[in-house]
Amino acid sequence: MKGREGLPLPIGEVGRGLIFCNMDLFDVYPLFDINIVRGEDCSVWDDKGQEYLDLYGGHAVISIGHCHPHYVEMMTRQLGTLGFYSNSVINMLQRELATRLGRASGYGDYQLFLINSGAEANENALKLASFKTGRTRVLSASKAFHGRTSLAVEATDNPKIIAPINANGHVTYLPLNDLPAWEAELAKGDVCACIIECIQGVGGIQMATEEFAQGLQAACKRHGAVLVCDEIQCGYGRSGKFFAHQWLGIRPDLITVAKGIGNGFPMGAVLISPDFEPQYGQLGTTFGGNHLACTAALAVLDVMEQEHLVDNARSTGDYLMARLKDLQKEEPRITDVRGRGLMVGIDLAMPHKPLRSHLVYTEHCFTGCAGTSTLRLLPPLTFTTAMADDFIQRLKKAFAAC
């Protein structure tokens, strides 16, 4: 049965005379009026053929560059072989990934649990912490972002996205780097986990200090709490070490990763200390660790190792930061530049919105933001010094126009 203009009528509507209509997207994203249709390395193109320099990588997701040939070849081959089977059978790709990731990160003695996103990684980490300690309270940092689901969103310091059903009183927020405040709460003896981003992303590239991180780890051990490092945005080579916490001389009990692990394919993981003993049925997932996801992660590790991308993030990030600090000397609207590797924040004495708008629509350059006055730079780890120079010129032009 056909409706108006030959379109099929919706199921159940035949003969009722109702007008055929299309489902709308649930409108929760403020969008740039740009349709990106193609990508290569650190560039993307819109449907009109305009090229953009990408210093955001889709929220730090693009680790090895858009459409890296090795990644495309491996994913295409795996899709033609087997895309998915459940976690009820052996998946040797999972075992290969665990071995490779352990070696690359320096955590070969840890265990690996695979899921689909950063929020899921944090949910499962906090669940493990509660199983182990029998406790229910979590300490999280002011300005933290750990996800949008259940306990992950409760650990996120943004009341606008915490629904009443998520506001269950499990979480106490404390200032990052205020060690006495964290120690005082831990001393109450009811904390199951402390969760921190060693470089806050959404919080504006706020960085944990070595003194704080080491003191917090020691306090967690004294009081029987679990230390969770959320490396979802700052990890996977972005800081110039495999994990950002490795700059701080700590070894957390649980490490959560996502974003860059799959270069755009949905994937997350928890690296779990040998102090945790697994039990059948304790955790579970339908899609986590599927064959395509593991292939994506293995391709990412291949490229990271072959192209020395962790080293590149450190050296190119140092170069970019130096160029930005030089620009700060002549541009008074830049009030601070901070970060590590290719995770950089630029504080502004103005709202970021007009500057970002000019960068996107006139200079054709994507950046991120935090708060109302911080630019956030998270380019692919393949970013070069020549690209950094190019960005500085575009940023100068954007400042001149604003």
Side-chain angles (χ1 to χ4, degrees), residues 312-326 337 341-342 344 383-390 392:
N312 183 70
R314 182 165 58 250
S315 60
T316 306
D318 287 348
Y319 180 83
L320 175 60
M321 292 266 291
R323 289 296 317 269
L324 287 167
K325 288 179 179 179
D326 286 342
V337 176
L342 290 172
V344 178
F383 198 67
T384 66
T385 56
M387 294 173 186
D389 290 338
D390 184 4
I392 293 296

mmCIF file with all atom_site columns, all heavy atoms in Angstrom, residues 312-326 337 341-342 344 383-390 392:
data_model
loop_
_atom_site.group_PDB
_atom_site.id
_atom_site.type_symbol
_atom_site.label_atom_id
_atom_site.label_alt_id
_atom_site.label_comp_id
_atom_site.label_asym_id
_atom_site.label_entity_id
_atom_site.label_seq_id
_atom_site.pdbx_PDB_ins_code
_atom_site.Cartn_x
_atom_site.Cartn_y
_atom_site.Cartn_z
_atom_site.occupancy
_atom_site.B_iso_or_equiv
_atom_site.pdbx_formal_charge
_atom_site.auth_seq_id
_atom_site.auth_comp_id
_atom_site.auth_asym_id
_atom_site.auth_atom_id
_atom_site.pdbx_PDB_model_num
ATOM 1   N N   . ASN A 1 312 ? 55.675 11.365 19.064 1.00 0.00 ? 312 ASN A N   1
ATOM 2   C CA  . ASN A 1 312 ? 55.267 12.510 18.252 1.00 0.00 ? 312 ASN A CA  1
ATOM 3   C C   . ASN A 1 312 ? 54.332 13.426 19.030 1.00 0.00 ? 312 ASN A C   1
ATOM 4   O O   . ASN A 1 312 ? 54.431 14.662 18.925 1.00 0.00 ? 312 ASN A O   1
ATOM 5   C CB  . ASN A 1 312 ? 54.567 12.042 16.970 1.00 0.00 ? 312 ASN A CB  1
ATOM 6   C CG  . ASN A 1 312 ? 54.200 13.197 16.064 1.00 0.00 ? 312 ASN A CG  1
ATOM 7   O OD1 . ASN A 1 312 ? 55.061 13.835 15.467 1.00 0.00 ? 312 ASN A OD1 1
ATOM 8   N ND2 . ASN A 1 312 ? 52.908 13.496 15.973 1.00 0.00 ? 312 ASN A ND2 1
ATOM 9   N N   . ALA A 1 313 ? 53.428 12.828 19.808 1.00 0.00 ? 313 ALA A N   1
ATOM 10  C CA  . ALA A 1 313 ? 52.527 13.652 20.614 1.00 0.00 ? 313 ALA A CA  1
ATOM 11  C C   . ALA A 1 313 ? 53.315 14.525 21.581 1.00 0.00 ? 313 ALA A C   1
ATOM 12  O O   . ALA A 1 313 ? 52.980 15.704 21.788 1.00 0.00 ? 313 ALA A O   1
ATOM 13  C CB  . ALA A 1 313 ? 51.547 12.761 21.381 1.00 0.00 ? 313 ALA A CB  1
ATOM 14  N N   . ARG A 1 314 ? 54.350 13.963 22.159 1.00 0.00 ? 314 ARG A N   1
ATOM 15  C CA  . ARG A 1 314 ? 55.153 14.732 23.113 1.00 0.00 ? 314 ARG A CA  1
ATOM 16  C C   . ARG A 1 314 ? 55.931 15.847 22.418 1.00 0.00 ? 314 ARG A C   1
ATOM 17  O O   . ARG A 1 314 ? 55.873 17.012 22.820 1.00 0.00 ? 314 ARG A O   1
ATOM 18  C CB  . ARG A 1 314 ? 56.118 13.810 23.867 1.00 0.00 ? 314 ARG A CB  1
ATOM 19  C CG  . ARG A 1 314 ? 56.966 14.532 24.916 1.00 0.00 ? 314 ARG A CG  1
ATOM 20  C CD  . ARG A 1 314 ? 57.629 13.563 25.876 1.00 0.00 ? 314 ARG A CD  1
ATOM 21  N NE  . ARG A 1 314 ? 58.472 12.586 25.217 1.00 0.00 ? 314 ARG A NE  1
ATOM 22  C CZ  . ARG A 1 314 ? 58.212 11.284 25.107 1.00 0.00 ? 314 ARG A CZ  1
ATOM 23  N NH1 . ARG A 1 314 ? 57.091 10.801 25.621 1.00 0.00 ? 314 ARG A NH1 1
ATOM 24  N NH2 . ARG A 1 314 ? 59.036 10.466 24.502 1.00 0.00 ? 314 ARG A NH2 1
ATOM 25  N N   . SER A 1 315 ? 56.640 15.510 21.345 1.00 0.00 ? 315 SER A N   1
ATOM 26  C CA  . SER A 1 315 ? 57.495 16.517 20.699 1.00 0.00 ? 315 SER A CA  1
ATOM 27  C C   . SER A 1 315 ? 56.676 17.570 19.961 1.00 0.00 ? 315 SER A C   1
ATOM 28  O O   . SER A 1 315 ? 56.952 18.776 20.072 1.00 0.00 ? 315 SER A O   1
ATOM 29  C CB  . SER A 1 315 ? 58.484 15.832 19.737 1.00 0.00 ? 315 SER A CB  1
ATOM 30  O OG  . SER A 1 315 ? 57.806 15.113 18.725 1.00 0.00 ? 315 SER A OG  1
ATOM 31  N N   . THR A 1 316 ? 55.661 17.150 19.226 1.00 0.00 ? 316 THR A N   1
ATOM 32  C CA  . THR A 1 316 ? 54.835 18.115 18.506 1.00 0.00 ? 316 THR A CA  1
ATOM 33  C C   . THR A 1 316 ? 53.993 18.937 19.474 1.00 0.00 ? 316 THR A C   1
ATOM 34  O O   . THR A 1 316 ? 53.787 20.138 19.268 1.00 0.00 ? 316 THR A O   1
ATOM 35  C CB  . THR A 1 316 ? 53.934 17.408 17.481 1.00 0.00 ? 316 THR A CB  1
ATOM 36  O OG1 . THR A 1 316 ? 54.739 16.599 16.621 1.00 0.00 ? 316 THR A OG1 1
ATOM 37  C CG2 . THR A 1 316 ? 53.173 18.410 16.635 1.00 0.00 ? 316 THR A CG2 1
ATOM 38  N N   . GLY A 1 317 ? 53.536 18.291 20.550 1.00 0.00 ? 317 GLY A N   1
ATOM 39  C CA  . GLY A 1 317 ? 52.807 19.033 21.566 1.00 0.00 ? 317 GLY A CA  1
ATOM 40  C C   . GLY A 1 317 ? 53.668 20.096 22.227 1.00 0.00 ? 317 GLY A C   1
ATOM 41  O O   . GLY A 1 317 ? 53.211 21.217 22.462 1.00 0.00 ? 317 GLY A O   1
ATOM 42  N N   . ASP A 1 318 ? 54.927 19.757 22.519 1.00 0.00 ? 318 ASP A N   1
ATOM 43  C CA  . ASP A 1 318 ? 55.847 20.759 23.091 1.00 0.00 ? 318 ASP A CA  1
ATOM 44  C C   . ASP A 1 318 ? 56.024 21.933 22.133 1.00 0.00 ? 318 ASP A C   1
ATOM 45  O O   . ASP A 1 318 ? 56.039 23.104 22.547 1.00 0.00 ? 318 ASP A O   1
ATOM 46  C CB  . ASP A 1 318 ? 57.214 20.122 23.378 1.00 0.00 ? 318 ASP A CB  1
ATOM 47  C CG  . ASP A 1 318 ? 57.193 19.191 24.584 1.00 0.00 ? 318 ASP A CG  1
ATOM 48  O OD1 . ASP A 1 318 ? 56.209 19.205 25.338 1.00 0.00 ? 318 ASP A OD1 1
ATOM 49  O OD2 . ASP A 1 318 ? 58.177 18.439 24.756 1.00 0.00 ? 318 ASP A OD2 1
ATOM 50  N N   . TYR A 1 319 ? 56.150 21.628 20.843 1.00 0.00 ? 319 TYR A N   1
ATOM 51  C CA  . TYR A 1 319 ? 56.324 22.674 19.831 1.00 0.00 ? 319 TYR A CA  1
ATOM 52  C C   . TYR A 1 319 ? 55.079 23.565 19.760 1.00 0.00 ? 319 TYR A C   1
ATOM 53  O O   . TYR A 1 319 ? 55.179 24.811 19.747 1.00 0.00 ? 319 TYR A O   1
ATOM 54  C CB  . TYR A 1 319 ? 56.606 22.040 18.477 1.00 0.00 ? 319 TYR A CB  1
ATOM 55  C CG  . TYR A 1 319 ? 56.797 23.033 17.361 1.00 0.00 ? 319 TYR A CG  1
ATOM 56  C CD1 . TYR A 1 319 ? 58.032 23.646 17.157 1.00 0.00 ? 319 TYR A CD1 1
ATOM 57  C CD2 . TYR A 1 319 ? 55.753 23.366 16.503 1.00 0.00 ? 319 TYR A CD2 1
ATOM 58  C CE1 . TYR A 1 319 ? 58.222 24.567 16.137 1.00 0.00 ? 319 TYR A CE1 1
ATOM 59  C CE2 . TYR A 1 319 ? 55.918 24.282 15.483 1.00 0.00 ? 319 TYR A CE2 1
ATOM 60  C CZ  . TYR A 1 319 ? 57.162 24.881 15.300 1.00 0.00 ? 319 TYR A CZ  1
ATOM 61  O OH  . TYR A 1 319 ? 57.340 25.799 14.291 1.00 0.00 ? 319 TYR A OH  1
ATOM 62  N N   . LEU A 1 320 ? 53.904 22.930 19.733 1.00 0.00 ? 320 LEU A N   1
ATOM 63  C CA  . LEU A 1 320 ? 52.652 23.688 19.664 1.00 0.00 ? 320 LEU A CA  1
ATOM 64  C C   . LEU A 1 320 ? 52.490 24.587 20.888 1.00 0.00 ? 320 LEU A C   1
ATOM 65  O O   . LEU A 1 320 ? 52.118 25.766 20.766 1.00 0.00 ? 320 LEU A O   1
ATOM 66  C CB  . LEU A 1 320 ? 51.471 22.721 19.550 1.00 0.00 ? 320 LEU A CB  1
ATOM 67  C CG  . LEU A 1 320 ? 50.067 23.333 19.579 1.00 0.00 ? 320 LEU A CG  1
ATOM 68  C CD1 . LEU A 1 320 ? 49.866 24.318 18.435 1.00 0.00 ? 320 LEU A CD1 1
ATOM 69  C CD2 . LEU A 1 320 ? 49.003 22.221 19.537 1.00 0.00 ? 320 LEU A CD2 1
ATOM 70  N N   . MET A 1 321 ? 52.788 24.047 22.067 1.00 0.00 ? 321 MET A N   1
ATOM 71  C CA  . MET A 1 321 ? 52.678 24.851 23.292 1.00 0.00 ? 321 MET A CA  1
ATOM 72  C C   . MET A 1 321 ? 53.634 26.039 23.250 1.00 0.00 ? 321 MET A C   1
ATOM 73  O O   . MET A 1 321 ? 53.275 27.163 23.638 1.00 0.00 ? 321 MET A O   1
ATOM 74  C CB  . MET A 1 321 ? 52.998 23.976 24.505 1.00 0.00 ? 321 MET A CB  1
ATOM 75  C CG  . MET A 1 321 ? 51.963 22.906 24.789 1.00 0.00 ? 321 MET A CG  1
ATOM 76  S SD  . MET A 1 321 ? 50.722 23.421 25.984 1.00 0.00 ? 321 MET A SD  1
ATOM 77  C CE  . MET A 1 321 ? 51.705 23.499 27.464 1.00 0.00 ? 321 MET A CE  1
ATOM 78  N N   . ALA A 1 322 ? 54.855 25.830 22.762 1.00 0.00 ? 322 ALA A N   1
ATOM 79  C CA  . ALA A 1 322 ? 55.830 26.928 22.680 1.00 0.00 ? 322 ALA A CA  1
ATOM 80  C C   . ALA A 1 322 ? 55.335 28.010 21.723 1.00 0.00 ? 322 ALA A C   1
ATOM 81  O O   . ALA A 1 322 ? 55.450 29.218 22.012 1.00 0.00 ? 322 ALA A O   1
ATOM 82  C CB  . ALA A 1 322 ? 57.184 26.389 22.246 1.00 0.00 ? 322 ALA A CB  1
ATOM 83  N N   . ARG A 1 323 ? 54.777 27.600 20.586 1.00 0.00 ? 323 ARG A N   1
ATOM 84  C CA  . ARG A 1 323 ? 54.250 28.582 19.623 1.00 0.00 ? 323 ARG A CA  1
ATOM 85  C C   . ARG A 1 323 ? 53.087 29.365 20.230 1.00 0.00 ? 323 ARG A C   1
ATOM 86  O O   . ARG A 1 323 ? 52.958 30.576 20.030 1.00 0.00 ? 323 ARG A O   1
ATOM 87  C CB  . ARG A 1 323 ? 53.788 27.884 18.335 1.00 0.00 ? 323 ARG A CB  1
ATOM 88  C CG  . ARG A 1 323 ? 54.881 27.324 17.450 1.00 0.00 ? 323 ARG A CG  1
ATOM 89  C CD  . ARG A 1 323 ? 55.821 28.388 16.875 1.00 0.00 ? 323 ARG A CD  1
ATOM 90  N NE  . ARG A 1 323 ? 55.164 29.578 16.394 1.00 0.00 ? 323 ARG A NE  1
ATOM 91  C CZ  . ARG A 1 323 ? 54.730 29.765 15.136 1.00 0.00 ? 323 ARG A CZ  1
ATOM 92  N NH1 . ARG A 1 323 ? 54.903 28.795 14.236 1.00 0.00 ? 323 ARG A NH1 1
ATOM 93  N NH2 . ARG A 1 323 ? 54.158 30.891 14.769 1.00 0.00 ? 323 ARG A NH2 1
ATOM 94  N N   . LEU A 1 324 ? 52.229 28.663 20.976 1.00 0.00 ? 324 LEU A N   1
ATOM 95  C CA  . LEU A 1 324 ? 51.087 29.336 21.604 1.00 0.00 ? 324 LEU A CA  1
ATOM 96  C C   . LEU A 1 324 ? 51.543 30.315 22.689 1.00 0.00 ? 324 LEU A C   1
ATOM 97  O O   . LEU A 1 324 ? 50.987 31.409 22.831 1.00 0.00 ? 324 LEU A O   1
ATOM 98  C CB  . LEU A 1 324 ? 50.131 28.300 22.193 1.00 0.00 ? 324 LEU A CB  1
ATOM 99  C CG  . LEU A 1 324 ? 49.302 27.515 21.168 1.00 0.00 ? 324 LEU A CG  1
ATOM 100 C CD1 . LEU A 1 324 ? 48.635 26.314 21.822 1.00 0.00 ? 324 LEU A CD1 1
ATOM 101 C CD2 . LEU A 1 324 ? 48.253 28.411 20.502 1.00 0.00 ? 324 LEU A CD2 1
ATOM 102 N N   . LYS A 1 325 ? 52.555 29.942 23.443 1.00 0.00 ? 325 LYS A N   1
ATOM 103 C CA  . LYS A 1 325 ? 53.064 30.841 24.490 1.00 0.00 ? 325 LYS A CA  1
ATOM 104 C C   . LYS A 1 325 ? 53.762 32.059 23.878 1.00 0.00 ? 325 LYS A C   1
ATOM 105 O O   . LYS A 1 325 ? 53.699 33.159 24.434 1.00 0.00 ? 325 LYS A O   1
ATOM 106 C CB  . LYS A 1 325 ? 53.988 30.078 25.423 1.00 0.00 ? 325 LYS A CB  1
ATOM 107 C CG  . LYS A 1 325 ? 53.214 29.121 26.327 1.00 0.00 ? 325 LYS A CG  1
ATOM 108 C CD  . LYS A 1 325 ? 54.107 28.319 27.256 1.00 0.00 ? 325 LYS A CD  1
ATOM 109 C CE  . LYS A 1 325 ? 53.277 27.420 28.147 1.00 0.00 ? 325 LYS A CE  1
ATOM 110 N NZ  . LYS A 1 325 ? 54.093 26.584 29.060 1.00 0.00 ? 325 LYS A NZ  1
ATOM 111 N N   . ASP A 1 326 ? 54.395 31.863 22.725 1.00 0.00 ? 326 ASP A N   1
ATOM 112 C CA  . ASP A 1 326 ? 54.943 33.018 22.001 1.00 0.00 ? 326 ASP A CA  1
ATOM 113 C C   . ASP A 1 326 ? 53.818 33.940 21.543 1.00 0.00 ? 326 ASP A C   1
ATOM 114 O O   . ASP A 1 326 ? 53.923 35.172 21.649 1.00 0.00 ? 326 ASP A O   1
ATOM 115 C CB  . ASP A 1 326 ? 55.762 32.552 20.788 1.00 0.00 ? 326 ASP A CB  1
ATOM 116 C CG  . ASP A 1 326 ? 57.103 31.961 21.179 1.00 0.00 ? 326 ASP A CG  1
ATOM 117 O OD1 . ASP A 1 326 ? 57.560 32.204 22.315 1.00 0.00 ? 326 ASP A OD1 1
ATOM 118 O OD2 . ASP A 1 326 ? 57.702 31.246 20.350 1.00 0.00 ? 326 ASP A OD2 1
ATOM 119 N N   . VAL A 1 337 ? 48.167 29.231 28.727 1.00 0.00 ? 337 VAL A N   1
ATOM 120 C CA  . VAL A 1 337 ? 48.309 28.067 27.844 1.00 0.00 ? 337 VAL A CA  1
ATOM 121 C C   . VAL A 1 337 ? 48.841 26.932 28.707 1.00 0.00 ? 337 VAL A C   1
ATOM 122 O O   . VAL A 1 337 ? 49.845 27.095 29.396 1.00 0.00 ? 337 VAL A O   1
ATOM 123 C CB  . VAL A 1 337 ? 49.287 28.346 26.686 1.00 0.00 ? 337 VAL A CB  1
ATOM 124 C CG1 . VAL A 1 337 ? 49.479 27.083 25.852 1.00 0.00 ? 337 VAL A CG1 1
ATOM 125 C CG2 . VAL A 1 337 ? 48.798 29.499 25.817 1.00 0.00 ? 337 VAL A CG2 1
ATOM 126 N N   . GLY A 1 341 ? 51.558 17.162 25.852 1.00 0.00 ? 341 GLY A N   1
ATOM 127 C CA  . GLY A 1 341 ? 51.423 16.502 24.567 1.00 0.00 ? 341 GLY A CA  1
ATOM 128 C C   . GLY A 1 341 ? 50.424 17.225 23.688 1.00 0.00 ? 341 GLY A C   1
ATOM 129 O O   . GLY A 1 341 ? 50.415 18.455 23.592 1.00 0.00 ? 341 GLY A O   1
ATOM 130 N N   . LEU A 1 342 ? 49.532 16.448 23.060 1.00 0.00 ? 342 LEU A N   1
ATOM 131 C CA  . LEU A 1 342 ? 48.523 17.016 22.169 1.00 0.00 ? 342 LEU A CA  1
ATOM 132 C C   . LEU A 1 342 ? 47.172 17.116 22.869 1.00 0.00 ? 342 LEU A C   1
ATOM 133 O O   . LEU A 1 342 ? 46.124 16.784 22.323 1.00 0.00 ? 342 LEU A O   1
ATOM 134 C CB  . LEU A 1 342 ? 48.441 16.191 20.886 1.00 0.00 ? 342 LEU A CB  1
ATOM 135 C CG  . LEU A 1 342 ? 49.680 16.332 19.989 1.00 0.00 ? 342 LEU A CG  1
ATOM 136 C CD1 . LEU A 1 342 ? 49.640 15.352 18.830 1.00 0.00 ? 342 LEU A CD1 1
ATOM 137 C CD2 . LEU A 1 342 ? 49.835 17.776 19.489 1.00 0.00 ? 342 LEU A CD2 1
ATOM 138 N N   . VAL A 1 344 ? 45.794 20.329 24.857 1.00 0.00 ? 344 VAL A N   1
ATOM 139 C CA  . VAL A 1 344 ? 46.205 21.697 25.166 1.00 0.00 ? 344 VAL A CA  1
ATOM 140 C C   . VAL A 1 344 ? 44.977 22.568 25.424 1.00 0.00 ? 344 VAL A C   1
ATOM 141 O O   . VAL A 1 344 ? 43.986 22.502 24.686 1.00 0.00 ? 344 VAL A O   1
ATOM 142 C CB  . VAL A 1 344 ? 47.028 22.293 24.000 1.00 0.00 ? 344 VAL A CB  1
ATOM 143 C CG1 . VAL A 1 344 ? 47.423 23.736 24.292 1.00 0.00 ? 344 VAL A CG1 1
ATOM 144 C CG2 . VAL A 1 344 ? 48.265 21.436 23.728 1.00 0.00 ? 344 VAL A CG2 1
ATOM 145 N N   . PHE A 1 383 ? 49.568 14.660 14.194 1.00 0.00 ? 383 PHE A N   1
ATOM 146 C CA  . PHE A 1 383 ? 49.733 16.110 13.998 1.00 0.00 ? 383 PHE A CA  1
ATOM 147 C C   . PHE A 1 383 ? 51.217 16.464 13.895 1.00 0.00 ? 383 PHE A C   1
ATOM 148 O O   . PHE A 1 383 ? 52.045 15.925 14.629 1.00 0.00 ? 383 PHE A O   1
ATOM 149 C CB  . PHE A 1 383 ? 49.100 16.829 15.182 1.00 0.00 ? 383 PHE A CB  1
ATOM 150 C CG  . PHE A 1 383 ? 48.795 18.276 14.979 1.00 0.00 ? 383 PHE A CG  1
ATOM 151 C CD1 . PHE A 1 383 ? 47.835 18.696 14.084 1.00 0.00 ? 383 PHE A CD1 1
ATOM 152 C CD2 . PHE A 1 383 ? 49.458 19.244 15.736 1.00 0.00 ? 383 PHE A CD2 1
ATOM 153 C CE1 . PHE A 1 383 ? 47.525 20.029 13.928 1.00 0.00 ? 383 PHE A CE1 1
ATOM 154 C CE2 . PHE A 1 383 ? 49.165 20.589 15.589 1.00 0.00 ? 383 PHE A CE2 1
ATOM 155 C CZ  . PHE A 1 383 ? 48.199 20.983 14.679 1.00 0.00 ? 383 PHE A CZ  1
ATOM 156 N N   . THR A 1 384 ? 51.546 17.380 12.976 1.00 0.00 ? 384 THR A N   1
ATOM 157 C CA  . THR A 1 384 ? 52.947 17.719 12.712 1.00 0.00 ? 384 THR A CA  1
ATOM 158 C C   . THR A 1 384 ? 53.253 19.166 13.105 1.00 0.00 ? 384 THR A C   1
ATOM 159 O O   . THR A 1 384 ? 52.341 19.981 13.309 1.00 0.00 ? 384 THR A O   1
ATOM 160 C CB  . THR A 1 384 ? 53.280 17.538 11.226 1.00 0.00 ? 384 THR A CB  1
ATOM 161 O OG1 . THR A 1 384 ? 52.519 18.516 10.467 1.00 0.00 ? 384 THR A OG1 1
ATOM 162 C CG2 . THR A 1 384 ? 52.932 16.143 10.737 1.00 0.00 ? 384 THR A CG2 1
ATOM 163 N N   . THR A 1 385 ? 54.539 19.488 13.157 1.00 0.00 ? 385 THR A N   1
ATOM 164 C CA  . THR A 1 385 ? 54.929 20.877 13.454 1.00 0.00 ? 385 THR A CA  1
ATOM 165 C C   . THR A 1 385 ? 54.470 21.818 12.340 1.00 0.00 ? 385 THR A C   1
ATOM 166 O O   . THR A 1 385 ? 54.120 22.971 12.610 1.00 0.00 ? 385 THR A O   1
ATOM 167 C CB  . THR A 1 385 ? 56.446 20.984 13.650 1.00 0.00 ? 385 THR A CB  1
ATOM 168 O OG1 . THR A 1 385 ? 57.119 20.468 12.500 1.00 0.00 ? 385 THR A OG1 1
ATOM 169 C CG2 . THR A 1 385 ? 56.894 20.212 14.884 1.00 0.00 ? 385 THR A CG2 1
ATOM 170 N N   . ALA A 1 386 ? 54.462 21.347 11.095 1.00 0.00 ? 386 ALA A N   1
ATOM 171 C CA  . ALA A 1 386 ? 53.970 22.182 9.996  1.00 0.00 ? 386 ALA A CA  1
ATOM 172 C C   . ALA A 1 386 ? 52.485 22.498 10.188 1.00 0.00 ? 386 ALA A C   1
ATOM 173 O O   . ALA A 1 386 ? 52.043 23.629 9.929  1.00 0.00 ? 386 ALA A O   1
ATOM 174 C CB  . ALA A 1 386 ? 54.198 21.484 8.661  1.00 0.00 ? 386 ALA A CB  1
ATOM 175 N N   . MET A 1 387 ? 51.726 21.516 10.633 1.00 0.00 ? 387 MET A N   1
ATOM 176 C CA  . MET A 1 387 ? 50.309 21.757 10.920 1.00 0.00 ? 387 MET A CA  1
ATOM 177 C C   . MET A 1 387 ? 50.157 22.730 12.082 1.00 0.00 ? 387 MET A C   1
ATOM 178 O O   . MET A 1 387 ? 49.251 23.573 12.091 1.00 0.00 ? 387 MET A O   1
ATOM 179 C CB  . MET A 1 387 ? 49.605 20.438 11.230 1.00 0.00 ? 387 MET A CB  1
ATOM 180 C CG  . MET A 1 387 ? 49.518 19.480 10.060 1.00 0.00 ? 387 MET A CG  1
ATOM 181 S SD  . MET A 1 387 ? 48.863 17.873 10.608 1.00 0.00 ? 387 MET A SD  1
ATOM 182 C CE  . MET A 1 387 ? 49.041 16.907 9.093  1.00 0.00 ? 387 MET A CE  1
ATOM 183 N N   . ALA A 1 388 ? 51.034 22.621 13.082 1.00 0.00 ? 388 ALA A N   1
ATOM 184 C CA  . ALA A 1 388 ? 50.999 23.557 14.212 1.00 0.00 ? 388 ALA A CA  1
ATOM 185 C C   . ALA A 1 388 ? 51.247 24.982 13.730 1.00 0.00 ? 388 ALA A C   1
ATOM 186 O O   . ALA A 1 388 ? 50.549 25.921 14.147 1.00 0.00 ? 388 ALA A O   1
ATOM 187 C CB  . ALA A 1 388 ? 52.037 23.153 15.253 1.00 0.00 ? 388 ALA A CB  1
ATOM 188 N N   . ASP A 1 389 ? 52.222 25.162 12.840 1.00 0.00 ? 389 ASP A N   1
ATOM 189 C CA  . ASP A 1 389 ? 52.491 26.489 12.283 1.00 0.00 ? 389 ASP A CA  1
ATOM 190 C C   . ASP A 1 389 ? 51.279 27.016 11.520 1.00 0.00 ? 389 ASP A C   1
ATOM 191 O O   . ASP A 1 389 ? 50.930 28.202 11.624 1.00 0.00 ? 389 ASP A O   1
ATOM 192 C CB  . ASP A 1 389 ? 53.699 26.425 11.349 1.00 0.00 ? 389 ASP A CB  1
ATOM 193 C CG  . ASP A 1 389 ? 55.013 26.196 12.085 1.00 0.00 ? 389 ASP A CG  1
ATOM 194 O OD1 . ASP A 1 389 ? 55.085 26.488 13.299 1.00 0.00 ? 389 ASP A OD1 1
ATOM 195 O OD2 . ASP A 1 389 ? 55.969 25.703 11.442 1.00 0.00 ? 389 ASP A OD2 1
ATOM 196 N N   . ASP A 1 390 ? 50.657 26.131 10.745 1.00 0.00 ? 390 ASP A N   1
ATOM 197 C CA  . ASP A 1 390 ? 49.459 26.491 9.988  1.00 0.00 ? 390 ASP A CA  1
ATOM 198 C C   . ASP A 1 390 ? 48.358 26.949 10.942 1.00 0.00 ? 390 ASP A C   1
ATOM 199 O O   . ASP A 1 390 ? 47.704 27.985 10.722 1.00 0.00 ? 390 ASP A O   1
ATOM 200 C CB  . ASP A 1 390 ? 49.017 25.274 9.170  1.00 0.00 ? 390 ASP A CB  1
ATOM 201 C CG  . ASP A 1 390 ? 47.838 25.564 8.257  1.00 0.00 ? 390 ASP A CG  1
ATOM 202 O OD1 . ASP A 1 390 ? 47.379 26.720 8.184  1.00 0.00 ? 390 ASP A OD1 1
ATOM 203 O OD2 . ASP A 1 390 ? 47.366 24.609 7.597  1.00 0.00 ? 390 ASP A OD2 1
ATOM 204 N N   . ILE A 1 392 ? 48.628 28.196 13.969 1.00 0.00 ? 392 ILE A N   1
ATOM 205 C CA  . ILE A 1 392 ? 48.966 29.479 14.600 1.00 0.00 ? 392 ILE A CA  1
ATOM 206 C C   . ILE A 1 392 ? 48.595 30.634 13.684 1.00 0.00 ? 392 ILE A C   1
ATOM 207 O O   . ILE A 1 392 ? 48.053 31.659 14.130 1.00 0.00 ? 392 ILE A O   1
ATOM 208 C CB  . ILE A 1 392 ? 50.465 29.532 14.972 1.00 0.00 ? 392 ILE A CB  1
ATOM 209 C CG1 . ILE A 1 392 ? 50.782 28.521 16.078 1.00 0.00 ? 392 ILE A CG1 1
ATOM 210 C CG2 . ILE A 1 392 ? 50.872 30.935 15.408 1.00 0.00 ? 392 ILE A CG2 1
ATOM 211 C CD1 . ILE A 1 392 ? 50.108 28.781 17.406 1.00 0.00 ? 392 ILE A CD1 1
#
